[in-house]
Amino acid sequence: MAMERQFCTFHLDDLFLGIEVLKVQEVIRTQEMTRVPLAPRAVRGLINLRGQIVTAVDLRERLGLAPLAEGRHPMNVVVRTDEGAVSLLVDEIGDVLDTDEDTYEGPPETLSAQARELIRGVYKLPERLLLILDTEKALALEFAEAGR
Amino acid sequence: MSDMDDIVKEFLVESSEGLDQLDRNLVALEQAPGDKALLASIFRCIHTIKGTSGFLGFGKLESVTHVGESLLSDLRDGKKVLTPEITSALLQLVDAVRSMLSAVEANGTDGDKEFPELVALLTRLQKGEAAPAPAGKAEGAAPAKKGRKSGPTAVVAEPAAPVPQAVIPPPAPAVVAPAPVAEVPSAVAQAEAAEVKGPQASDSNIRVDVGLLDKLMNLVGELVLARNQILQYTATQEDSGFVATTQRLNLITTELQEGVMKTRMQPIGNVWAKFPRVVRDLALACKKQVRIEMEGKETELDKTIIEAIKDPLTHIVRNSVDHGLELPAERVAKGKPAEGRLLLRAYHEGGQVNIEISDDGGGINTERVKAKAIQKGVITAEQAARMGERELVNLVFAPGFSTAEQVSNISGRGVGMDVVKTNIEKIGGTVDIHSVAGQGTTLKIRIPLTLAIIPALIVSAGEDRFAIPQVSLLELVRLEGEEAQKGIEMVYGAPVYRLRGRLLPLVNLAHALRRQDGFWSPTRAPDEAVNIVVLQADDHAFGLVVQEINDTEEIVVKPLGKQLKGIGAFAGATIMGDGRVALILDVSGLAQQAAVFSERSRRAQGAAEATTRAQAADENRQMLLLFRLGADRRMAIPLSMVARLEEFTRGSIEHAGHHQVVQYRGRLLPLLRLSELLGDAGAAEERETLSVVVYAHEGRDVGLVVENITDIVEEALTVHRRSRGGAVFGSAVIQGKVTDLLDVRALIDGNDVLLFTGAESELATAGV
């Protein structure tokens, strides 16, 4: 168990979230997106990342938050997965933070059920709470609405 | 140490090539036992493996091959004649060697298996005629000793020989790997070697890592994209120097693309090569006689495709031998030669490769298939009754339909035909099965040449662009002006277009891709032109209505992420010239999504709907359903009276009194055999399925059994009435041919027809 871990942080609505820095491939600005009909709601579209086609998943949708206000452009946090890169759309990108394992705790009860599914735990930072996103679960999309 | 590894690696590569060749040669040798050259080549290969393994210290491998070598040596010297038993034993030897080699590959030793039975078998076979070679017993001896011992045995053999001659020389010249082997059988018949069949290593070939080729292919893909982008940009430029350079770039890219694709091409013969052995073993196990024939071995396919079809093909071949071909006695009884024929054929056709696997066996028993499918719950009895022969045969591809009850250890290894189908469809191919009872079965596989870069038509729906693989494209139709408004007709809410007299079901792309959040709400201005892309999905054609048809382009197919894999409508994505991503449509997935081909009766529904419209349209013009009776009698009835078109199997016909009826939608439907009533000796009796026109007569239904239904036409009729035609009230010229017009009412009145009243039919429904 590593005592200190680094997290790439970002904002979603008033949530402050983090992903392990080693999982993040890169962070890029809003990209031109090709929407995908019949796809699960959370899939915002496909982006061209230097010749690689990357699926962009809307984290707001995944966490049950309201869509981003008109006129605001989300950032892409491109994460590595076993099946290639996937982009997570977030409101704003934060710093890379070192955390202390002692301040770690399981997800608080107060989180909405939908969010709690995807939050692995919480680091109690001095000023605020850093929620750790379970990227695998965040990217495991249901296909109920996209069936054949 | 690493030098050693290299040598071992080289040995493995060579040996496995040699073994593949051995498989083929052994089976070939069985056909032509007298072929000295073949025998020599087989001997040499085993000999080389033995020698090298001795040198590398794989003692077990060496001793097993040694026994085989002794046996081969006797064969070669004519002391022994090849029997099927010997061939089998030698093939087993090949398997044993192969398993040892994979052990070497896995952990650097030749494993702990010693194959005592095989050794004993080979020894016994060799000693069978008291041949004086004691070699079989000489196990565990030092490799060096055996190396010497093989010397005298290998009298005629060419030394280590062309087969394994390293194409790339071993990197460490200090280690003279094959040297001792090569020296053993010294004075040799070089002349004989020259004629030997077998892979001749050539200085003009080098081995290249497949990974490198894949990488090159990817890079070329990127280059093609960049080229497309530049070409698009050039279109707005006037600098002639720049334009000329771009054109050169264009040409070079295309050539490079072709070249790189070629490096990945392999003849399909590579996959087929193992089939003679598979078929031989299988035929022996099933006690069948099978002759395998191959045509078009040299047909080339992309390596990835070759890999992908390997297992499905093997499964199909096994199936054909196991289930398709009959036992020799059975065949003779049917008047066929005892030896079954399995034909593999491959050929290029229109940018695709067709592979056919046909046998001259018993064909597929559709009744059995049907019973099985119903039993397994794949289809309902009602569905089954409506299915045609061809649809029934294709049921073997349905998921959940496995020939489990006839599982042998040969077929039925968990790869059902549905897996075969999905695997082939995964690479953009199609499978079609055609079977004639008693005459055999043919499976036809159509696959694209390559997967990486394909030509595609770019279309748009809404503001999005989609790529349609050119292979599924049949034609483009554009309806303008009045056509655009009248050309598309509605059939129970499903649009159709009459394409040269045939009804083409239509799918509006924008509708098909509608999303729940409603951002796809396609609207069409009434006078806008309609673009129809006619596509081939599986066996059917359908029209895809798109807003705009753009260009064709070479696109690089990229896979979709896991999150999107479940959408059947897309086969992948690609990057367009302007750098944006476009989705590639999966034509058959799209058709399924839109449920274009849900059932055949949809066409009939269509017909019924079309009638009402026709009646309103024009008094003189009439919609007519055309059908045939007997061999060539053409008849027509007004479509307005037709409720549905159905197909029933003979088995579903029951009797009520002396009337023939079928159970139909919870009711009883009386059947009228037109050919009998109208005095035509029809051939309908022999057919397994009956085409039935369900005729609405005063609120009650009658089924008219016809030979087959040919068409639906709209015609202004000039009727030549008959004075007393009975049920035929006249004739008219339709589609340039004389056609009798049937008066169904007169037919019903003039015959003793059982009609079920509404009340009765309700009872019938309640009784179910």
Side-chain angles (χ1 to χ4, degrees):
Chain A
M1 213 200 257
M3 292 309 279
E4 275 209 352
R5 292 165 97 182
Q6 286 193 315
F7 288 92
C8 169
T9 65
F10 53 87
H11 298 270
L12 259 188
D13 215 352
D14 52 0
L15 296 178
F16 185 52
L17 291 126
I19 301 176
E20 269 171 80
V21 107
L22 293 176
K23 284 192 180 157
V24 178
Q25 178 182 315
E26 61 191 292
V27 176
I28 46 175
R29 277 183 302 120
T30 305
Q31 298 286 307
E32 189 160 13
M33 228 178 286
T34 301
R35 55 190 179 176
V36 184
L38 307 173
R41 268 169 176 279
V43 174
R44 269 301 108 124
L46 300 172
I47 56 177
N48 171 9
L49 184 66
R50 297 184 300 276
Q52 196 187 356
I53 292 176
V54 173
T55 311
V57 173
D58 186 351
L59 264 193
R60 275 182 170 260
E61 173 76 35
R62 290 296 288 143
L63 289 167
L65 304 173
L68 195 60
E70 280 289 317
R72 284 190 62 190
H73 297 292
M75 298 284 288
N76 290 282
V77 178
V78 182
V79 295
R80 297 188 190 92
T81 74
D82 294 342
E83 307 202 4
V86 181
S87 164
L88 294 171
L89 297 183
V90 305
D91 295 0
E92 235 172 85
I93 199 82
D95 296 328
V96 172
L97 293 182
D98 293 320
T99 58
D100 189 342
E101 204 64 28
D102 295 339
T103 63
Y104 183 76
E105 225 176 84
E109 301 291 317
T110 45
L111 276 176
S112 78
Q114 193 174 356
R116 221 161 53 169
E117 279 275 294
L118 309 179
I119 302 297
R120 225 177 327 137
V122 177
Y123 283 97
K124 293 163 283 179
L125 303 183
E127 292 97 46
R128 59 189 311 178
L129 296 177
L130 175 65
L131 307 178
I132 302 305
L133 188 75
D134 187 330
T135 42
E136 265 146 52
K137 283 193 186 146
L139 294 176
L141 301 182
E142 294 289 325
F143 251 86
E145 61 180 313
R148 282 190 153 203
Chain B
M1 188 62 207
S2 78
D3 287 347
M4 199 62 183
D5 283 350
D6 283 343
I7 293 169
V8 171
K9 215 178 274 169
E10 197 69 34
F11 165 63
L12 286 173
V13 173
E14 281 165 12
S15 302
S16 76
E17 274 173 13
L19 288 174
D20 290 347
Q21 183 67 30
L22 260 189
D23 263 346
R24 266 167 283 166
N25 285 354
L26 278 170
V27 177
L29 189 64
E30 211 174 14
Q31 307 299 319
D35 194 333
K36 280 247 161 57
L38 261 180
L39 199 50
S41 145
I42 292 168
F43 177 84
R44 220 172 27 241
C45 179
I46 290 284
H47 177 76
T48 309
I49 294 177
K50 189 196 83 167
T52 317
S53 57
F55 172 76
L56 293 171
F58 299 127
K60 289 172 198 131
L61 183 55
E62 191 198 1
S63 51
V64 171
T65 41
H66 177 71
V67 193
E69 186 192 6
S70 306
L71 178 59
L72 278 168
S73 152
D74 281 5
L75 285 171
R76 195 197 46 196
D77 297 348
K79 291 185 194 155
K80 222 168 226 40
V81 184
L82 190 77
T83 63
E85 199 189 4
I86 293 183
T87 313
S88 291
L90 288 173
L91 286 170
Q92 276 178 42
L93 172 71
V94 174
D95 288 342
V97 171
R98 207 173 260 141
S99 84
M100 286 166 133
L101 286 176
S102 50
V104 171
E105 193 169 12
N107 47 35
T109 70
D110 51 355
D112 38 18
K113 277 194 255 169
E114 298 204 15
F115 302 95
E117 299 92 2
L118 178 61
V119 171
L121 174 67
L122 288 169
T123 316
R124 185 173 57 74
L125 285 172
Q126 191 209 347
K127 289 200 173 153
E129 283 174 30
K137 288 288 170 206
E139 299 311 334
K145 184 178 147 209
K146 258 186 263 149
R148 273 198 306 280
K149 202 182 231 165
S150 66
T153 337
V155 199
V156 218
E158 222 266 271
V163 182
Q165 201 57 263
V167 186
I168 303 166
V175 191
V176 267
V181 187
E183 279 162 17
V184 178
S186 44
V188 207
Q190 288 287 357
E192 191 188 75
E195 319 166 350
V196 161
K197 298 171 194 164
Q200 302 281 332
S202 155
D203 291 341
S204 61
N205 288 335
I206 55 162
R207 283 210 180 89
V208 182
D209 184 28
V210 177
L212 181 62
L213 287 185
D214 287 345
K215 199 172 166 198
L216 274 181
M217 191 69 213
N218 278 339
L219 286 173
V220 169
E222 296 302 323
L223 185 62
V224 168
L225 290 179
R227 188 261 325 253
N228 291 353
Q229 259 160 296
I230 289 183
L231 282 183
Q232 215 163 65
Y233 175 68
T234 314
T236 63
Q237 298 297 306
E238 275 164 21
D239 181 344
S240 66
F242 178 66
V243 172
T245 317
T246 322
Q247 265 159 8
R248 256 180 70 70
L249 174 74
N250 185 11
L251 287 177
I252 295 169
T253 311
T254 310
E255 241 169 79
L256 181 65
Q257 180 191 336
E258 277 167 15
V260 171
M261 298 243 271
K262 265 199 200 123
T263 63
R264 293 159 50 96
M265 291 301 216
Q266 288 189 320
I268 193 160
N270 287 7
V271 183
W272 286 359
K274 63 173 182 162
F275 289 159
R277 161 101 197 255
V278 168
V279 167
R280 179 195 175 274
D281 288 359
L282 198 56
L284 227 55
C286 309
K287 303 193 173 49
K288 291 177 182 172
Q289 293 175 22
V290 185
R291 187 176 77 239
I292 183 164
E293 287 174 18
M294 297 177 182
E295 281 174 27
K297 258 192 240 187
E298 63 293 331
T299 311
E300 286 193 322
L301 277 170
D302 192 283
K303 189 177 158 39
T304 43
I305 296 186
I306 292 259
E307 292 294 317
I309 58 168
K310 206 184 256 175
D311 287 345
L313 276 185
T314 314
H315 185 75
I316 294 168
V317 165
R318 284 172 168 281
N319 248 341
S320 294
V321 176
D322 194 20
H323 302 315
L325 294 168
E326 313 96 323
L327 292 167
E330 229 174 286
R331 291 181 60 87
V332 172
K334 286 185 190 166
K336 298 189 211 175
E339 190 180 47
R341 175 166 176 261
L342 184 68
L343 173 68
L344 301 178
R345 239 180 117 215
Y347 54 97
H348 287 275
E349 188 185 71
Q352 278 183 305
V353 174
N354 290 357
I355 305 172
E356 289 174 9
I357 301 108
S358 36
D359 62 58
D360 61 350
I364 293 176
N365 183 339
T366 46
E367 281 306 310
R368 269 228 318 266
V369 168
K370 194 200 291 180
K372 177 79 144 284
I374 295 172
Q375 177 209 330
K376 296 243 166 188
V378 176
I379 50 166
T380 64
E382 196 194 347
Q383 281 174 318
R386 253 183 288 141
M387 285 179 134
E389 197 86 348
R390 192 187 181 79
E391 284 169 285
L392 282 172
V393 170
N394 276 292
L395 272 180
V396 297
F397 291 124
F401 182 93
S402 145
T403 43
E405 73 182 56
Q406 9 176 341
V407 157
S408 53
N409 60 344
I410 297 147
S411 335
R413 290 168 182 239
V415 230
M417 287 301 265
D418 62 320
V419 181
V420 168
K421 191 177 159 103
T422 16
N423 281 346
I424 288 170
E425 281 174 355
K426 228 184 260 167
I427 52 168
T430 57
V431 205
D432 192 30
I433 191 164
H434 182 74
S435 175
V436 180
Q439 288 179 25
T441 310
T442 300
L443 260 129
K444 190 169 177 183
I445 301 173
R446 293 159 66 91
I447 35 181
L449 276 176
T450 177
L451 297 178
I453 301 180
I454 57 167
L457 178 76
I458 312 298
V459 301
S460 56
E463 55 199 72
D464 301 65
R465 282 174 305 177
F466 298 93
I468 301 173
Q470 199 103 48
V471 288
S472 347
L473 190 65
L474 293 178
E475 60 182 302
L476 301 175
V477 178
R478 185 177 165 88
L479 307 181
E480 280 174 327
E482 198 177 333
E483 267 260 273
Q485 290 173 55
K486 293 200 173 164
I488 295 180
E489 300 165 45
M490 295 304 278
V491 168
Y492 275 85
V496 293
Y497 172 71
R498 280 189 239 176
L499 182 64
R500 288 187 289 278
R502 294 195 162 268
L503 287 186
L504 181 75
L506 295 181
V507 177
N508 189 326
L509 181 60
H511 280 290
L513 301 181
R514 175 186 51 234
R515 289 200 3 172
Q516 285 193 337
D517 51 14
F519 78 25
W520 281 71
S521 48
T523 45
R524 189 167 68 85
D527 53 347
E528 201 176 309
V530 177
N531 291 306
I532 302 174
V533 184
V534 185
L535 298 169
Q536 176 84 28
D538 301 327
D539 265 343
H540 316 262
F542 75 99
L544 191 69
V545 178
V546 300
Q547 218 151 46
E548 222 175 289
I549 293 172
N550 307 340
D551 231 346
T552 56
E553 224 174 275
E554 296 268 293
I555 58 165
V556 181
V557 182
K558 310 229 169 190
L560 288 174
K562 178 182 78 170
Q563 290 77 17
L564 301 173
K565 283 265 164 66
I567 308 177
F570 304 120
T574 188
I575 295 169
M576 306 294 298
D578 59 5
R580 284 187 56 192
V581 179
L583 288 155
I584 302 168
L585 294 178
D586 180 330
V587 170
S588 56
L590 192 70
Q592 275 169 26
Q593 188 111 36
V596 194
F597 316 120
S598 55
E599 41 177 311
R600 277 184 162 192
S601 52
R602 166 162 298 201
R603 263 184 272 157
Q605 287 180 356
E609 179 80 0
T611 337
T612 30
R613 190 179 33 72
Q615 279 173 332
D618 196 328
E619 285 295 321
N620 291 323
R621 295 180 76 82
Q622 224 182 340
M623 292 289 282
L624 293 167
L625 177 77
L626 299 183
F627 55 88
R628 267 188 323 117
L629 274 190
D632 52 13
R633 187 164 178 190
R634 289 164 55 92
M635 305 209 68
I637 54 174
L639 194 59
S640 53
M641 304 298 282
V642 176
R644 291 171 71 86
L645 305 179
E646 292 290 356
E647 278 189 352
F648 297 110
T649 56
R650 280 200 7 219
S652 60
I653 298 177
E654 296 175 271
H655 292 268
H658 60 280
H659 299 281
Q660 292 192 326
V661 297
V662 289
Q663 295 183 25
Y664 177 57
R665 308 188 145 201
R667 296 185 182 203
L668 294 182
L669 179 72
L671 293 184
L672 290 182
R673 289 185 177 264
L674 285 188
S675 51
E676 285 172 31
L677 296 175
L678 298 176
D680 261 298
E685 298 291 1
E686 278 85 59
R687 304 213 331 184
E688 220 28 67
T689 55
L690 305 176
S691 296
V692 173
V693 179
V694 181
Y695 189 89
H697 178 74
E698 297 173 351
R700 288 161 295 183
D701 290 344
V702 180
L704 307 176
V705 181
V706 303
E707 177 69 21
N708 73 15
I709 293 159
T710 46
D711 209 348
I712 293 168
V713 293
E714 186 174 1
E715 292 258 10
L717 289 183
T718 319
V719 179
H720 308 276
R721 288 194 173 271
R722 293 196 186 176
S723 47
R724 41 190 163 81
V728 176
F729 74 87
S731 305
V733 176
I734 300 173
Q735 291 180 335
K737 289 192 177 153
V738 175
T739 306
D740 286 345
L741 302 171
L742 185 67
D743 184 351
V744 184
R745 177 182 285 267
L747 183 79
I748 291 172
D749 291 343
N751 287 280
D752 172 21
V753 174
L754 184 70
L755 287 178
F756 296 94
T757 67
E760 276 169 308
S761 58
E762 268 164 37
L763 277 179
T765 321
V768 174

